[in-house]
């Protein structure tokens, strides 16, 4: 529901940048199509339509891009000939921007490059040649169904970035930006140079510290559902939480030779009120009241919403479907304390397999409370 508001912020920034001879590069660090009914019903098709409408330039492939497996109803390969990455390949052909995955290769070492999936790409904006490299977390195999990665290997992020960035520099790129589905987190953004508020053992911190100085100009991070707006080993690294609650921004000043002379790192910006990291009610133009951005009011982009209107209606129909079950009390969710919602899940698992001795489930797999009353699919 936040994407029309993101588009509104972008319009303001694009207008200002283009008026002064610059431009805005828009990228995503992965996990585009998992977690909402609007996206999942079409296995990510709605998200790609939305990203096409907003004007993304590139996106990294994250672990959850593999969740839907082969094209069609099956989410894992069931028979010989099923392509474990068929859904990603369908979404890539649908996208008007490349999907980047430099550290994902075939098991025999050959590149994994179905149409519109590539390790890196180079684009020219405002006369500047920009190299974009995408990588995904080393834990990808443990963060999706491994049956959909049976034909692929995940290589070390640092090595893949150095290889692709070096080649892009040799091909004429004067700016290198990494889209990394790998993250970390910080609790304060008051000083971009102060890492004392950051969990510097996080994956993206380790990767940034291992890169040769001067090779990479910026990293857009993800995966950790946390915030970063800091300089690590001289590299601006940004991350803006999850579920479209906000966005990151880095302003790159470019010299006459096309190289970065200075980078201004902005704090992560919540989309709705500019202050709190709250979810935006699904596709409700009245749900947000963003403060002015770049000196102009932020407008809800109804044109962007129109690109996914059929998906929104299908999700709403599914969301309202009654399951014929009524709960007498709430099942509250927690990942840290005793969780009635999680107990309900494991009780149902145990009931489904009467001969099992026990059932167990990861605490973060349950992600919401269940209210009392009639239960719908939503």
């Amino acid at each position: 529901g936040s994407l029309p508001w993101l588009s509104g912020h972008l319009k303001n920034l694009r207008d200002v940048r283009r008026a002064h001879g610059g431009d805005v590069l828009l990228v995503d660090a992965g996990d585009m199509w998992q977690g909402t009914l609007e996206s999942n019903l079409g296995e990510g098709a709605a998200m790609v339509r939305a990203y096409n409408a907003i004007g993304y330039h590139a996106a990294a492939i994250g672990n959850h891009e593999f969740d839907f497996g082969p094209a069609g109803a099956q989410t894992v390969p069931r028979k010989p000939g099923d392509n474990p990455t068929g859904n990603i390949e369908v979404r890539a052909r649908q996208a008007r921007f490349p999907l980047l995955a430099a550290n994902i290769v075939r098991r025999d070492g050959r590149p994994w490059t179905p149409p519109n999936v590539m390790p890196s790409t180079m684009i020219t904006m405002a006369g500047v040649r920009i190299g974009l490299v995408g990588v995904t977390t080393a834990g990808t195999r443990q963060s999706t169904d491994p049956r959909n990665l049976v034909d692929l290997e995940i290589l070390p992020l640092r090595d893949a970035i150095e290889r692709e960035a070096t080649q892009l520099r040799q091909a004429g790129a004067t700016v290198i930006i990494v889209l990394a589905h790998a993250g970390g987190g910080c609790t304060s953004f008051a000083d971009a140079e102060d890492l004392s508020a950051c969990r510097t053992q996080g994956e993206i911190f380790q990767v940034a510290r291992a890169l040769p100085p001067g090779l990479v100009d910026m990293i857009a991070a993800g995966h950790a559902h946390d915030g970063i707006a800091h300089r690590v080993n001289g590299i601006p690294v940004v991350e803006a939480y999850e579920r479209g609650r906000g966005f990151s921004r880095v302003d790159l000043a470019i010299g006459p030779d096309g190289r970065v002379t200075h980078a201004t790192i902005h704090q992560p910006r919540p989309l709705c009120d500019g202050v709190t990291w709250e979810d935006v009610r699904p596709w409700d133009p009245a749900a947000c009241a963003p403060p002015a951005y770049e000196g102009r009011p932020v407008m809800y982009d109804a044109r962007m919403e129109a690109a996914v209107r059929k998906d929104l209606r299908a999700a709403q129909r599914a969301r309202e479907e009654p399951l014929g079950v009524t709960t007498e009390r709430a099942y509250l969710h927690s990942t840290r304390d005793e969780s009635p919602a999680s107990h309900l899940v494991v009780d149902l698992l145990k009931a489904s397999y009467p001969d099992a001795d026990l059932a167990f489930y990861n605490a973060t797999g349950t992600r919401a409370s269940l209210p009392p009353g009639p239960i719908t699919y939503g």
Side-chain angles (χ1 to χ4, degrees):
S2 63
L3 289 176
W5 292 110
L6 174 63
S7 187
H9 283 83
L10 279 166
K11 182 182 186 308
N12 290 4
L13 186 58
R14 284 167 171 157
D15 288 348
V16 169
R17 282 287 170 271
R18 289 169 181 172
H20 293 89
D23 214 330
V24 178
L25 176 75
L26 181 61
V27 296
D28 189 283
D31 279 5
M32 291 168 281
W33 54 69
Q34 174 58 278
T36 69
L37 195 54
E38 289 83 357
S39 176
N40 287 16
L41 281 177
E43 299 190 328
M47 289 305 300
V48 176
R49 278 191 280 273
Y51 277 28
N52 284 343
I54 295 173
Y56 272 79
H57 293 98
I61 289 179
N63 54 287
H64 283 302
E65 265 69 68
F66 292 94
D67 287 358
F68 295 110
Q74 299 290 352
T75 57
V76 293
R78 300 287 187 188
K79 59 184 185 299
D82 283 351
N83 178 2
T85 59
N87 184 68
I88 289 179
E89 296 175 28
V90 171
R91 299 284 81 82
R93 290 193 295 271
Q94 176 191 356
R96 295 201 291 266
F97 52 91
L99 304 186
L100 305 181
N103 68 323
I104 303 177
V105 299
R106 299 183 186 277
R107 281 205 175 272
D108 61 8
R110 292 182 298 124
W112 178 56
T113 54
N116 204 31
V117 175
M118 55 197 75
S120 62
T121 190
M122 186 157 58
I123 65 175
T124 300
M125 298 186 70
V128 180
R129 301 183 76 182
I130 304 169
L132 302 173
V133 182
V135 288
T136 191
T137 174
T140 292
R141 193 176 301 279
Q142 292 78 43
S143 305
T144 186
D145 194 311
R147 289 172 289 185
N148 293 333
L149 286 158
V150 66
D151 297 329
L152 301 174
E153 287 284 358
I154 310 297
L155 302 179
L157 283 71
R158 183 259 185 208
D159 296 348
I161 292 169
E162 183 173 5
R163 179 192 71 234
E164 293 299 319
T166 300
Q167 292 176 0
L168 288 163
R169 292 279 188 195
Q170 292 170 348
T174 57
V175 176
I176 301 293
I177 296 174
V178 174
L179 287 53
H181 191 70
C186 305
T187 57
S188 172
F189 312 107
D191 183 356
E193 312 299 330
D194 181 8
L195 300 182
S196 64
C198 301
R199 299 192 304 277
T200 54
Q201 74 276 20
E203 186 176 19
I204 199 59
F205 289 94
Q206 296 183 41
V207 170
R209 287 195 298 264
L211 290 170
L215 180 63
V216 168
D217 294 296
M218 181 198 139
I219 298 174
H223 185 57
H225 296 195
D226 214 323
I228 305 174
H230 292 76
R231 207 177 310 272
V232 185
N233 189 25
I235 306 169
V237 179
V238 292
E239 181 182 36
Y241 298 93
E242 85 285 2
R243 296 176 65 174
R245 293 173 175 177
F247 62 91
S248 295
R249 171 179 164 185
V250 177
D251 293 347
L252 301 178
I254 307 297
D257 61 355
R259 296 184 178 274
V260 175
T261 59
H262 180 72
T264 301
I265 304 172
H266 294 252
Q267 298 188 15
R269 182 180 176 91
L271 273 175
C272 227
D273 62 5
V275 178
T276 55
W277 299 99
E278 296 180 355
D279 287 334
V280 181
R281 290 196 299 274
W283 307 93
D284 180 358
C288 259
Y293 191 63
E294 288 296 320
R296 307 177 185 192
V298 177
M299 307 303 292
Y300 183 89
D301 186 352
R303 176 196 59 84
M304 188 258 113
E305 179 192 315
V308 292
R309 192 160 290 151
K310 289 182 179 179
D311 303 285
L312 304 183
R313 290 170 178 166
Q316 189 59 29
R317 288 194 296 270
R319 187 176 282 112
E320 294 170 352
E321 180 185 345
L323 298 187
V325 175
T326 298
T327 59
E328 295 181 355
R329 61 184 178 87
Y331 288 84
L332 299 177
H333 161 62
S334 173
T335 57
R336 296 184 182 275
D337 304 309
E338 282 292 302
S339 172
S342 291
H343 285 313
L344 175 63
V345 171
V346 292
D347 287 347
L348 291 169
L349 284 171
K350 179 71 171 60
S352 299
Y353 296 89
D355 295 333
D357 295 315
L358 71 132
F360 65 94
Y361 191 65
N362 75 84
T364 58
T366 310
R367 298 204 174 192
S369 298
L370 199 63
I375 301 301
T376 65
Y377 186 83

